[in-house]
Amino acid sequence: MHISQHPAPGGHEDVLEIVGKVIAWYQQEIHAARRSPASSPGRLDQLIDAYTACVRDRERLRDATGEEAERLGALYAARLKELEAAGP
């Protein structure tokens, strides 16, 4: 999915969708890093740490105020854009 197709972060569902896409990106990268003999252990650790933080943020969204959800939505929309620009 290209950036232009991402919903504008607004409601909790939109933010959950964006966070879910970031989590999926990290899951793919973790899987690839585990399968690649050339992958450094440091990179795998960084990916796992980032993935874990995303999962925690997704859990926080359940009780987040509108303002907090908006903040997380903006943060994750920017991160998704950055991750997609970097490629797999």
Side-chain angles (χ1 to χ4, degrees), residues 23-43:
I23 288 171
W25 187 92
Y26 281 114
Q27 287 173 321
Q28 286 181 318
E29 290 297 305
I30 289 167
H31 181 69
R34 285 183 173 151
R35 290 181 34 213
S36 173
S39 181
S40 73
R43 170 146 169 79

Side-chain angles (χ1 to χ4, degrees), residues 7 11 19 23 34 37 43 52 54 58 64-65 70 74 78 80 84:
V19 173
I23 288 171
R34 285 183 173 151
R43 170 146 169 79
T52 302
C54 292
R58 183 178 60 187
T65 63
E70 187 176 312
L80 183 58
E84 288 180 340

